[in-house]
Amino acid sequence: MPGGVHGGSGLAGPGAGSMVRRSDIPPEPVPLREPATTMSHLMSLVWEPTAPPERREVAAVGLPSEAAALLRHEDGMTATLEQHWGEPMALTVLRADRVGATLRRAVMLSGRDSGRPTELGLIEIMLANLPPTITDKVVEGLIPFGSLLARAGISFRSRPHRFFSLTADGLLSRTLEVRPGTDLYGRETRLTDSTGRLLAEAVEIVSPLPR
């Protein structure tokens, strides 16, 4: 498993971010951003101050079958990757920024046994909208977010609203262990609970499945 993202991204390890006290969390719901703003906001976690690769929007029906299997659904990404890769996923936090009740982080999911990277995830988690029983675990950053929700019995849906492709630059090729120039696919999605309450917004870029 790679030690993390390299280059000028200034990424920090899992220790970034302080533990959550419920009294510190304001009760106000976090407003949705426009999709383009969310994408740029989260991509800056990894690529700032450099520019990320150009993203090309792709219609859901235009996704290659392999990418569609990983992206065109409303399930959690961790469970989907575990199903298709045939092994549990391990979480590596590459960078974490905490501002009030909002936790932004860049993470890598990889096979727990093989160590093979399967996804680069950029996520903004609305801590105020989570039960206090799991906020400390979320901030701790040792277990994938979707797995924590499932273990806590929280029903959720991941609702993709945009799919895209991009060409792997040096940072992506090192992180996902693909050749520079490889075409990769991803999605922008919103995670909501059974009442429609927003839990997180995410950008998910997946590794190609082994042939």
Side-chain angles (χ1 to χ4, degrees), residues 22 35 55 139 149 166 208:
R22 190 67 184 175
R55 286 94 68 196
V139 175
L149 295 177
L166 72 174

Side-chain angles (χ1 to χ4, degrees), residues 22-207:
R22 190 67 184 175
S23 60
D24 296 336
I25 299 175
E28 297 85 6
V30 180
L32 294 177
R33 291 187 182 84
E34 290 299 318
T37 304
T38 299
M39 182 73 154
S40 299
H41 185 63
L42 289 175
M43 296 288 267
S44 69
L45 265 176
V46 174
W47 277 276
E48 194 175 72
T50 60
E54 179 185 1
R55 286 94 68 196
R56 302 173 291 273
E57 188 164 351
V58 178
V61 296
L63 289 168
S65 58
E66 180 183 282
L70 295 174
L71 298 170
R72 202 170 63 196
H73 58 82
E74 293 191 344
D75 300 322
M77 182 56 74
T78 304
T80 299
L81 292 170
E82 289 178 341
Q83 176 186 353
H84 285 278
W85 285 85
E87 61 179 318
M89 292 291 115
L91 175 71
T92 302
V93 176
L94 305 173
R95 177 174 175 178
D97 292 333
R98 168 80 185 279
V99 180
T102 301
L103 175 66
R104 294 192 311 152
R105 64 188 185 192
V107 304
M108 181 177 65
L109 291 180
S110 55
R112 190 177 67 188
D113 302 321
S114 67
R116 180 160 184 176
T118 62
E119 182 219 30
L120 173 64
L122 312 169
I123 187 167
E124 183 168 270
I125 300 170
M126 315 311 175
L127 297 172
N129 293 350
L130 299 176
T133 52
I134 69 166
T135 50
D136 283 357
K137 289 290 186 183
V138 170
V139 175
E140 188 178 28
L142 299 179
I143 300 171
F145 183 57
S147 297
L148 282 174
L149 295 177
R151 292 182 187 185
I154 301 170
S155 298
F156 70 95
R157 298 170 67 185
S158 182
R159 302 185 178 195
H161 53 85
R162 180 176 295 172
F163 301 96
F164 60 89
S165 67
L166 72 174
T167 302
D169 62 358
L171 187 149
L172 277 172
S173 65
R174 290 191 297 272
T175 304
L176 296 179
E177 295 184 359
V178 297
R179 293 181 180 275
T182 299
D183 287 332
L184 299 172
Y185 292 86
R187 69 179 187 175
E188 297 174 59
T189 189
R190 294 186 176 118
L191 280 70
T192 57
D193 67 13
S194 57
T195 69
R197 189 174 177 85
L198 180 67
L199 303 178
E201 297 188 78
V203 175
E204 299 167 326
I205 303 169
V206 294
S207 299

